[in-house]
Amino acid sequence: MQLQNRADISLALCPPDHPFIIASQLETEGATLLQQMLSLLFKHQNPEILSAIINCLVTFVKQRPSMIGAIVTTLGQWTPNHLQSTLSASQIKSVEKAIRAVLMHILRHGLAPAFTQQINEILLEQVARMDVAAREEAARRAEASRKRVLQEPVPEPSDFKRLRVQDGVAPAQAGNQASLSILQTFDFTTLPQALVVDLVIANLIAVSPAKLNTVVANFRANNPPPPTLPSSTAPTVEDLSSSNMVPKAEPVPLDPLKMELDEDDLEYEPDKLNTDLENHGHTPEDDENELAVALPDVAFELPPALVYDYVMDDFPSRCRLATIWMNEEWYNDIIRRETDGRWQSQYDIWVQRLVAAQTPKLDAKDKTFTRFLIDLPALPPNILSLLSDLCIDPDTMPVGFNSLRELVSLRPPLRTEAMKILLDLTTHPDKVIRGAAIITVRRWVPDQQPMDGMVRMFASGMLRRLATKPKLSSADTANDPDGMAVDQETITSEDEVDEAPQDMAYSSYLPPELVIPAEKSVVLQHIELLLGLAVKSHEFLKQIFDAYCRMEPSVQDALQALIVPLVRTLGPNNSTLLDLLREFKPEAESLALRILSIWTENARPTPGIISVVKDLLAERELDPKFLFIIIGEMDKADIVKNLPKIISTLSGKAEDRDQVRKVFSNVVTESPVGVSTNMPRVRQSERLAPSELMVLLHEQEKEIGLKATIEAIGICFAMSDVFTSEILAVVMQQLVDAPTLPVLFMRTVIQAVTTYKNLINFVATTLFSRLIVKKVWTNPQLWEGFIRCARITSPVSFGALLQLPKEQLREVVDKQPSLRDGLRDFVIKKERNKQKLASFLETLGDGGEVVASTPTSGMQAAGRMESPAPNAPPPIPAGSSSNM
């Protein structure tokens, strides 16, 4: 049982370890008591007790939804057969009406949507049963009246002879005069209607038809009908005064609601039903029905305009009168058309006038207008169009949608047209209107037929519109030499054929054909209903995957963005969606990747997701982006193996860079401070050192691709709190000691000294000396980077440059002329050997005059510069920056 509110009594309030109250036993006892109470409906014959039981059922339905099935089934199986022997017909009818009121209350307030069809069937069976009972009761009463007349004793002639004459008046005449005097003073209004009806019928049966016809003819001859004025003229005030006639007051139409009410269609009122049952099973309505059966129809007419004015003066309270009036007009039109084929329908005229007059006065919370439309015998086509307009107007939107919903549920002949309007509105461009329509139709799925099938068919048809690829252009058709260009809309693959056009849905708010490239808003108009239904009806998920394979790229991109709320609602543990991810077609790979990314962008992957991705990677060649999802669950060897595939996904897009940055931050030993990521963290022992990652990027630059590697190295430099100057010094030291220098090595060195100025000394001395020993000039790309780096690190790099052979030194000066003057000054200042000084100056392009003026004492210093120290400065340790 579910707790409805704080005041509700529920077994959920009982602690499971209570020493005396055992919830399971109480629940069993409650179910048994409910079954016993429902069984009394079939056994008990007291109408008051039956009424009390029936009145309790609505409370059970509202507060205990789990009992709805048993209650509806019981009311459907109930029949009055066991009451006919002890209760009168009116008492049985009161019980029937109580049951009908309960069912109508459940139906009107949507308390049991899953049992709507069953309740409608029960009500139809009850109406038929009550009609048969009413006819049988009327026949029984007529037969009883006839028998009473025949059984009355008739005085014999001998009795009349013994009557004496008193005062010259015969006894018979005296009796008649006495009877007349009594009848003149008797108040017939005190008699029950049923008795009056029986007396009238008995007298009519006792009189012969010939005598009755003679009396009627004499009455008409002695009482001619009063003259009537033509309908087109009316007496004026002067005419009335000249003829000494007292003008009659304008007739005020009575409210028929106070005269005749059909309680079957009113709201559930237990107190009213109790009052009827307490009145010994006899109600005024029974008298009206009996009178209607016993007497012929009496013509009674009021000017329609007068009734219209009366109704519109207070439509909410006189809505019932308007309904009765419209039913009379509708029936009158049917009768008139049988005799006059050119009869103009008065029903359509007055219905449209009533609706047009009430529409501007509609209140969003008032249900009177909806009830009026539901009770009409027929709706003109323009009324449905009016309801569509009401749905679009923000002020009257609730009234429009409520009316259409009730028409679909309660008026089967209008169901198709009303449903079409609602389904069209689910594709309306306005988000609010579209959302209201989707909420309205979604309540019929999946339990209420045939509305459920209609909604599903429309949603699937809208999806098929998106899955239909555009036809070949006229130019492509013209280029076909045989004139038999294949239509891409009909054939998409060897074993896949698009649905026939009749399987697609169409809406007045959408273009006949999808325009490519498709806008996201248009795609949303097509599939928002289906996405809403897929939350509960998971079979739509497979339709989405199948249709995705045949969508244009622009439609696919829009769908990937629009499916986010649905995927998050279903969650990563949805078995249906996980099964689809295991079996998706190759064309739906991007959709599967998008779904997995949605689940893991803010949380760690669940065991189900990890299992699915690993199985897919083992069975198929998938996009490397699938590795993003489970990279945190791999060991170090698998990370090193798959990392190049992840880096190869870089294509210059910011989104790809963010994804790779998250991967880097989770596979290195220290996560960058200030970077927020929810990707899974690998174990510390399975993570890479920052220097290992940077070295790996350079060593596998060919497998990754130079462009993607450059972008990945840039990401590392952006993570400055991880890839510090010490880390970069270690990386450069390891790379320069490798047998083969990476192509991007000098680019990384230049980027390092540009980012960290404290690396200039290390690069210009230690690193350059090692590169000269490795003959860096033999690799054109590295040599070009070396020359650029020498310019950036000058003048610190001058000492290392003088270690170059003369030919390479001359090339450096030729390619970077800005270094010439600095090198010359450096050589003149440092070199003391005139011969070597002259050689350097000649290499740099200077004359011998400078050599003559150079002090001889600089020879020894020049000798020291010519031959570099055999041991280069040791590499800077990762934890020290004192020399940088």
Side-chain angles (χ1 to χ4, degrees):
M1 298 183 183
Q2 182 180 2
L3 186 62
Q4 301 293 328
N5 53 62
R6 295 182 178 179
D8 188 14
I9 300 175
S10 173
L11 291 178
L13 300 175
C14 300
D17 56 348
H18 197 280
F20 306 110
I21 301 177
I22 302 176
S24 59
Q25 294 181 359
L26 291 178
E27 186 174 4
T28 304
E29 182 180 356
T32 303
L33 292 176
L34 174 64
Q35 189 64 30
Q36 293 176 358
M37 185 184 72
L38 294 177
S39 64
L40 291 178
L41 293 175
F42 300 89
K43 300 177 181 179
H44 217 285
Q45 297 181 347
N46 189 318
E48 286 79 6
I49 294 179
L50 293 177
S51 175
I53 295 174
I54 295 171
N55 293 344
C56 294
L57 297 182
V58 174
T59 304
F60 281 116
V61 171
K62 289 182 177 179
Q63 298 186 1
R64 297 294 183 268
S66 59
M67 300 179 179
I68 294 176
I71 292 174
V72 173
T73 302
T74 300
L75 295 180
Q77 296 175 351
W78 186 88
T79 59
N81 295 337
H82 66 289
L83 304 177
Q84 294 177 353
S85 60
T86 57
L87 298 183
S88 64
S90 59
Q91 290 176 318
I92 295 176
K93 183 178 180 182
S94 297
V95 178
E96 290 269 25
K97 290 172 62 178
I99 294 177
R100 179 177 177 83
V102 171
L103 294 174
M104 289 296 295
H105 183 76
I106 297 174
L107 196 63
R108 286 182 178 274
H109 292 79
L111 300 178
F115 298 91
T116 301
Q117 184 176 0
Q118 183 178 353
I119 292 175
N120 287 329
E121 294 175 356
I122 295 173
L123 291 174
L124 292 176
E125 294 177 359
Q126 187 190 47
V127 169
R129 184 172 65 234
M130 294 177 67
D131 289 343
V132 172
R135 288 194 297 269
E136 292 177 352
E137 178 63 15
R140 186 192 63 79
R141 291 189 177 187
E143 180 65 18
S145 300
R146 187 182 65 81
K147 290 182 178 180
R148 283 198 300 270
V149 173
L150 295 177
Q151 292 174 359
E152 289 181 358
V154 179
E156 297 180 2
S158 58
D159 296 334
F160 290 101
K161 293 181 180 179
R162 287 192 293 268
L163 296 177
R164 294 183 302 171
V165 177
Q166 298 177 358
D167 300 331
V169 180
Q173 295 177 357
N176 291 338
Q177 291 178 358
S179 299
L180 290 175
S181 62
I182 294 174
L183 291 176
Q184 289 175 355
T185 59
F186 184 76
D187 186 5
F188 287 93
T189 60
T190 59
L191 295 178
Q193 292 183 358
L195 179 60
V196 175
V197 171
D198 292 340
L199 292 175
V200 172
I201 294 175
N203 283 277
L204 290 176
I205 294 175
V207 178
S208 63
K211 186 174 181 180
L212 180 62
N213 292 335
T214 302
V215 173
V216 171
N218 293 335
F219 178 82
R220 290 178 176 176
N222 298 327
N223 299 276
T228 58
L229 295 175
S231 59
S232 60
T233 61
T236 61
V237 178
E238 292 78 3
D239 296 335
L240 293 174
S241 59
S242 60
S243 59
N244 296 325
M245 294 177 60
V246 178
K248 294 182 179 180
E250 183 178 356
V252 178
L254 298 176
D255 185 357
L257 291 179
K258 299 178 181 179
M259 301 166 56
E260 297 181 6
L261 282 178
D262 187 1
E263 296 291 339
D264 293 344
D265 294 333
L266 296 181
E267 293 293 334
Y268 177 63
E269 298 179 1
D271 295 338
K272 174 64 177 176
L273 296 174
N274 292 337
T275 303
D276 292 344
L277 290 173
E278 291 173 359
N279 193 17
H280 302 289
H282 186 78
T283 63
E285 187 183 12
D286 295 334
D287 299 331
E288 295 176 7
N289 294 335
E290 295 161 4
L291 184 62
V293 173
L295 297 179
D297 294 337
V298 179
F300 177 75
E301 293 186 4
L302 288 174
L306 190 63
V307 181
Y308 170 82
D309 293 338
Y310 178 82
V311 169
M312 295 311 302
D313 185 55
D314 188 4
F315 184 85
S317 61
R318 297 168 183 172
C319 173
R320 183 61 181 163
L321 170 60
T323 302
I324 296 174
W325 173 31
M326 289 299 99
N327 278 270
E328 291 294 334
E329 292 289 353
W330 174 77
Y331 183 71
N332 180 65
D333 287 343
I334 294 177
I335 301 301
R336 293 295 186 91
R337 288 195 191 99
E338 293 178 355
T339 57
D340 186 359
R342 294 178 298 176
W343 173 257
Q344 183 180 3
S345 174
Q346 298 298 308
Y347 171 78
D348 292 345
I349 295 175
W350 289 109
V351 165
Q352 294 176 19
R353 287 193 60 181
L354 287 172
V355 172
Q358 184 61 21
T359 300
K361 307 175 184 178
L362 288 178
D363 183 3
K365 299 181 179 180
D366 187 11
K367 298 182 179 180
T368 305
F369 185 77
T370 300
R371 188 180 302 113
F372 171 69
L373 295 180
I374 295 300
D375 293 338
L376 290 177
L379 284 182
N382 61 336
I383 299 297
L384 292 176
S385 301
L386 173 65
L387 293 179
S388 178
D389 296 338
L390 294 179
C391 294
I392 298 174
D393 188 345
D395 296 332
T396 58
M397 183 186 301
V399 177
F401 280 111
N402 288 337
S403 300
L404 289 173
R405 184 185 68 243
E406 294 297 324
L407 288 175
V408 171
S409 300
L410 304 177
R411 299 293 294 273
L414 299 173
R415 177 172 295 156
T416 301
E417 297 180 15
M419 179 64 83
K420 184 180 184 305
I421 295 174
L422 285 174
L423 293 176
D424 275 359
L425 290 172
T426 61
T427 63
H428 196 277
D430 187 87
K431 182 179 180 180
V432 177
I433 298 173
R434 187 171 64 248
I438 291 174
I439 293 174
T440 301
V441 302
R442 192 171 58 184
R443 67 178 59 193
W444 290 314
V445 179
D447 299 324
Q448 299 188 29
Q449 296 292 346
M451 290 79 78
D452 169 65
M454 299 168 71
V455 175
R456 289 174 181 271
M457 183 179 299
F458 182 84
S460 300
M462 283 288 118
L463 181 64
R464 282 190 285 268
R465 280 173 56 92
L466 294 178
T468 302
K469 294 187 176 181
K471 298 180 180 180
L472 291 173
S473 63
S474 57
D476 295 334
T477 306
N479 293 332
D480 187 1
D482 299 329
M484 299 178 62
V486 180
D487 187 357
Q488 294 183 9
E489 186 179 2
T490 57
I491 300 178
T492 59
S493 64
E494 294 180 359
D495 57 349
E496 187 176 298
V497 179
D498 281 344
E499 292 82 358
Q502 59 268 21
D503 293 334
M504 299 180 190
Y506 298 92
S507 171
S508 57
Y509 298 106
L510 294 172
E513 294 185 0
L514 185 65
V515 179
I516 301 297
E519 297 180 2
K520 181 179 176 181
S521 59
V522 177
V523 176
L524 180 59
Q525 289 179 245
H526 282 79
I527 65 169
E528 188 171 6
L529 171 61
L530 184 137
L531 295 179
L533 298 176
V535 175
K536 294 184 178 179
S537 301
H538 296 162
E539 61 269 19
F540 286 113
L541 298 175
K542 186 177 187 307
Q543 296 184 24
I544 293 175
F545 271 85
D546 293 340
Y548 184 87
C549 301
R550 292 174 282 124
M551 291 180 180
E552 285 293 319
S554 61
V555 182
Q556 291 180 345
D557 294 341
L559 180 58
Q560 290 185 28
L562 297 173
I563 204 174
V564 173
L566 172 62
V567 174
R568 289 177 177 171
T569 301
L570 295 177
N573 296 320
N574 185 273
S575 59
T576 302
L577 198 49
L578 288 176
D579 292 340
L580 290 173
L581 291 175
R582 294 180 184 274
E583 304 172 354
F584 64 84
K585 298 178 181 179
E587 296 85 353
E589 180 178 314
S590 58
L591 178 61
L593 177 61
R594 177 58 177 158
I595 294 173
L596 292 171
S597 301
I598 293 171
W599 281 340
T600 56
E601 63 185 358
N602 294 317
R604 297 189 60 174
T606 62
I609 295 177
I610 297 173
S611 174
V612 169
V613 176
K614 287 186 175 180
D615 292 344
L616 290 174
L617 291 173
E619 298 171 359
R620 311 186 189 187
E621 287 292 334
L622 296 176
D623 190 320
K625 292 182 179 180
F626 279 87
L627 293 168
F628 292 167
I629 300 168
I630 61 170
I631 188 66
E633 306 297 328
M634 296 181 178
D635 54 24
K636 190 172 184 177
D638 289 335
I639 292 175
V640 174
K641 176 183 177 182
N642 292 291
L643 199 57
K645 297 179 181 179
I646 293 177
I647 300 172
S648 64
T649 61
L650 293 170
S651 59
K653 297 180 180 180
E655 180 182 358
D656 295 337
R657 286 196 297 271
D658 292 340
Q659 290 289 338
V660 174
R661 181 188 175 99
K662 291 179 181 180
V663 172
F664 286 175
S665 65
N666 285 279
V667 298
V668 296
T669 54
E670 294 180 4
S671 297
V673 179
V675 176
S676 176
T677 173
N678 290 302
M679 294 188 66
R681 307 285 184 180
V682 298
R683 297 186 301 274
Q684 188 72 18
S685 60
E686 301 293 346
R687 299 165 83 178
L688 300 175
S691 58
E692 289 179 315
L693 175 59
M694 183 70 85
V695 171
L696 178 66
L697 294 178
H698 288 82
E699 291 178 345
Q700 300 193 13
E701 59 185 8
K702 293 183 179 179
E703 291 80 0
I704 298 173
L706 292 180
K707 187 175 181 181
T709 304
I710 292 172
E711 196 169 353
I713 294 173
I715 294 173
C716 293
F717 274 96
M719 300 167 64
S720 57
D721 45 359
V722 175
F723 294 90
T724 61
S725 59
E726 292 85 355
I727 298 295
L728 294 176
V730 173
V731 171
M732 290 185 289
Q733 185 71 52
Q734 292 181 5
L735 292 176
V736 79
D737 292 338
T740 304
L741 292 174
V743 175
L744 298 177
F745 174 72
M746 287 310 304
R747 188 183 189 282
T748 302
V749 173
I750 294 173
Q751 194 169 357
V753 297
T754 304
T755 305
Y756 300 100
K757 299 300 182 182
N758 57 353
L759 288 175
I760 291 178
N761 288 333
F762 169 71
V763 172
T765 56
T766 304
L767 203 63
F768 273 20
S769 298
R770 301 294 298 275
L771 291 173
I772 292 172
V773 173
K774 295 177 76 70
K775 297 182 179 181
V776 66
W777 55 83
T778 58
N779 189 316
Q781 292 177 324
L782 293 175
W783 177 238
E784 186 69 26
F786 179 89
I787 295 173
R788 293 183 181 182
C789 187
R791 180 183 59 81
I792 295 172
T793 58
S794 64
V796 182
S797 62
F798 289 167
L801 292 178
L802 294 178
Q803 300 175 26
L804 291 169
K806 292 182 179 181
E807 183 180 353
Q808 277 69 40
L809 180 59
R810 184 179 296 108
E811 184 179 354
V812 170
V813 175
D814 291 341
K815 290 186 176 181
Q816 295 291 339
S818 61
L819 297 175
R820 188 186 306 276
D821 295 338
L823 280 171
R824 182 190 60 187
D825 295 339
F826 181 82
V827 171
I828 293 173
K829 183 178 179 181
K830 300 294 183 180
E831 184 61 57
R832 295 294 181 263
N833 189 318
K834 293 183 178 181
Q835 184 179 359
K836 291 184 178 181
L837 178 60
S839 177
F840 279 124
L841 294 177
E842 182 182 358
T843 302
L844 296 174
D846 288 332
E849 293 79 4
V850 179
V851 176
S853 62
T854 304
T856 58
S857 61
M859 295 293 294
Q860 295 179 354
R864 290 193 299 269
M865 294 178 61
E866 181 179 3
S867 300
N871 295 326
I876 302 173
S880 175
S881 60
S882 58
N883 297 328
M884 304 182 71

